[in-house]
């Protein structure tokens, strides 16, 4: 069995959930990169440099945000890495990290609801389905984007576990 990196007092389920997040974001990232570089995953009516930059930027942003979930189960989620200017070596505020993670999860729920509405309502040119040219492309789109539905619940669960763990560590250190 593969050993996943995490702090010793983190529940195993939280470690697995945190490590799953970057993996569930990966298929949609690969789909966007493939689209950017001309793979026949969907039709692009007006490929521009701006569109390519947007798609690649969105991909990088999504992967970085997904990767930050690992901070909720690793050491750098409790103490900022030394190489960070101004913050290096300082403790991470549990309330701030939890609030940021839960706000991110709320944003993901809102985006998921909006994306679902756009796809099923077929809202104009922004609907991804409007650029799909067959059942194979449609299946590929759903296979790549459907895993994103799990991102918000996983992030929420890991954030709550992080908050509980950090709160219990704080309360035990205060009672000593």
């Amino acid at each position: 069995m593969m050993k996943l990196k995490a702090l010793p007092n983190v529940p195993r389920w939280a470690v697995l959930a945190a490590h799953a997040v970057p993996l569930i974001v990966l298929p949609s990232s690969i789909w966007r990169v493939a689209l950017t570089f001309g793979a026949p995953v969907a039709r692009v009516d007006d490929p521009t440099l701006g569109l390519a930059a947007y798609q690649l930027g969105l991909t990088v942003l999504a992967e970085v945000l997904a990767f930050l979930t690992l901070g909720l189960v690793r050491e750098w989620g409790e103490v900022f890495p030394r190489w960070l200017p101004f913050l290096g070596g300082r403790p991470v505020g549990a309330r701030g990290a939890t609030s940021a993670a839960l706000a991110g999860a709320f944003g993901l729920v809102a985006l998921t609801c909006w994306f679902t509405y756009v796809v099923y309502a077929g809202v104009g040119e922004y609907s991804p389905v409007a650029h799909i040219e067959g059942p194979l492309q449609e299946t590929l789109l759903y296979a790549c984007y459907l895993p994103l539905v799990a991102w918000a619940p996983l992030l929420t669960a890991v954030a709550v576990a992080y908050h509980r763990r950090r709160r219990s560590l704080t309360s035990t250190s205060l009672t000593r």
Side-chain angles (χ1 to χ4, degrees):
M1 181 186 263
M2 188 170 81
K3 176 81 170 125
L4 300 174
K5 288 185 178 181
L7 292 168
N9 55 348
V10 177
R12 178 99 174 124
W13 67 264
V15 174
L16 292 171
H19 282 81
V21 169
L23 296 176
I24 63 168
V25 175
L26 192 58
S28 62
S29 295
I30 292 171
W31 187 90
R32 278 190 303 276
V33 169
L35 181 66
T36 301
F37 289 106
V41 295
R43 184 185 77 247
V44 179
D45 295 329
D46 187 22
T48 63
L49 187 58
L51 178 63
Y54 166 75
Q55 289 170 335
L56 294 177
L58 180 60
T59 298
V60 169
L61 178 65
E63 288 298 331
V64 166
L65 292 175
F67 180 74
L68 285 176
T69 307
L70 294 174
L72 299 172
V73 299
R74 293 195 179 173
E75 184 180 321
W76 52 272
E78 294 187 8
V79 178
F80 286 107
R82 292 241 177 248
W83 55 267
L84 282 175
F86 308 111
L87 296 174
R90 291 184 171 182
V92 173
R95 186 175 290 158
T98 303
S99 297
L102 292 175
F106 178 78
L108 288 168
V109 168
L111 283 171
T112 301
C113 291
W114 174 250
F115 187 75
T116 303
Y117 168 72
V118 166
V119 167
Y120 286 109
V123 178
E125 65 181 276
Y126 299 111
S127 174
V129 180
H131 299 279
I132 299 300
E133 297 177 326
L136 183 60
Q137 285 184 351
E138 185 175 8
T139 302
L140 184 60
L141 175 75
Y142 289 133
C144 290
Y145 275 88
L146 204 51
L148 290 178
V149 172
W151 190 358
L154 288 173
L155 178 57
T156 302
V158 175
V160 169
Y162 173 86
H163 177 72
R164 286 181 180 166
R165 181 173 48 83
R166 293 289 305 271
R167 187 181 64 200
S168 70
L169 289 176
T170 305
S171 64
T172 57
S173 66
L174 292 175
T175 58
R176 289 183 186 170

